Amino acid sequence: QKEVEQDPGPLSVPEGAIVSLNCTYSNSAFQYFMWYRQYSRKGPELLMYTYSSGNKEDGRFTAQVDKSSKYISLFIRDSQPSDSATYLCAMLQGAQKLVFGQGTRLTINP
Amino acid sequence: DAMVIQNPRYQVTQFGKPVTLSCSQTLNHNVMYWYQQKSSQAPKLLFHYYDKDFNNEADTPDNFQSRRPNTSFCFLDIRSPGLGDAAMYLCATSRGRGTEAFFGQGTRLTVV
């Protein structure tokens, strides 16, 4: 079993839809959670960082963490074609080791 | 302004010929990471430095080495690249314990 599970998709939604991306994890030692966006042939770009259960909002993006269920989500409101990318969840194990999910490939159709 | 800079963006090397990838940062972060990412896969941690302390992952092949001569620079050396080493190599930095990591644009390595 992988430490971090993420549905690779692909996920295709119409422009303007609300997108929900999810990851589950097995290691209760994970304390810090991140979401990255990665465009083709580019490095991952940090979108959201959180370390507590609950919601964190930044513009059209909301990150949700449920530590009791070992489940994290990223919601994208009013999705745009420019949001088309691969979204990676990542979790910090111990002090420094960052463990990634496989990534979900998202396409927003105009 | 780019804060984690990787050079070159694209590198072609011959099978078995040593190659070095470089990473520099302007963030003055303590931690520098090297990840390998193959197509449609998650980034895989090869090793990281916390300041000068080197931390190797147990499953990182001996073929991969790293150097960090100072805070700003970190190098990935592949001593004898094989076809299976063709991948995107990502450098990242963070301040340290419990902090987020920032990535460079990556170096895409092709082995011919």
Side-chain angles (χ1 to χ4, degrees):
Chain A
Q1 182 188 9
K2 295 179 182 178
E3 285 188 290
V4 181
E5 297 278 359
Q6 183 177 9
D7 186 341
L11 179 63
S12 181
V13 301
E15 183 176 358
I18 296 174
V19 177
S20 173
L21 304 166
N22 311 294
C23 288
T24 59
Y25 62 97
S26 57
N27 188 345
S28 58
F30 288 139
Q31 295 293 321
Y32 306 94
F33 306 90
M34 281 148 270
W35 284 95
Y36 289 86
R37 177 175 64 195
Q38 187 174 26
Y39 292 113
S40 181
R41 298 179 179 270
K42 297 288 180 68
E45 173 193 6
L46 180 66
L47 287 176
M48 301 289 283
Y49 166 73
T50 185
Y51 54 86
S52 59
S53 286
N55 294 350
K56 180 178 180 180
E57 188 174 320
D58 184 359
R60 296 185 296 110
F61 298 93
T62 299
Q64 190 175 78
V65 175
D66 182 346
K67 289 187 177 180
S68 62
S69 301
K70 298 188 179 66
Y71 188 88
I72 69 169
S73 299
L74 178 70
F75 298 97
I76 307 173
R77 291 186 302 280
D78 188 24
S79 56
Q80 305 294 311
S82 59
D83 295 328
S84 299
T86 296
Y87 289 79
L88 295 154
C89 65
M91 305 180 189
L92 199 57
Q93 175 183 326
Q96 298 128 32
K97 182 176 178 179
L98 199 59
V99 180
F100 283 88
Q102 186 177 349
T104 299
R105 188 173 175 184
L106 173 67
T107 300
I108 308 297
N109 300 303
Chain B
D1 291 337
M3 296 176 287
V4 182
I5 303 164
Q6 292 188 241
N7 283 304
R9 290 291 314 280
Y10 301 92
Q11 175 74 57
V12 180
T13 191
Q14 291 180 337
F15 182 94
K17 184 176 180 180
V19 65
T20 295
L21 310 182
S22 72
C23 178
S24 65
Q25 54 136 338
T26 60
L27 299 164
N28 203 33
H29 281 174
N30 298 105
V31 188
M32 294 189 78
Y33 305 84
W34 279 105
Y35 283 85
Q36 179 193 64
Q37 187 179 28
K38 296 188 175 180
S39 182
S40 301
Q41 295 184 21
K44 178 181 179 297
L45 182 63
L46 295 173
F47 25 59
H48 73 277
Y49 279 92
Y50 194 111
D51 293 328
K52 294 183 179 180
D53 292 334
F54 178 68
N55 298 272
N56 197 30
E57 292 300 300
D59 57 354
T60 298
D62 293 339
N63 198 26
F64 292 86
Q65 304 285 317
S66 185
R67 296 170 283 134
R68 188 179 186 185
N70 53 52
T71 299
S72 301
F73 286 87
C74 195
F75 301 97
L76 170 62
D77 301 308
I78 309 176
R79 294 193 296 189
S80 182
L83 298 178
D85 297 327
M88 173 80 90
Y89 289 88
L90 297 164
C91 173
T93 74
S94 76
R95 289 193 308 277
R97 180 179 291 273
T99 62
E100 62 270 48
F102 297 91
F103 283 80
Q105 288 300 305
T107 295
R108 180 166 293 278
L109 179 68
T110 300
V111 182
V112 298

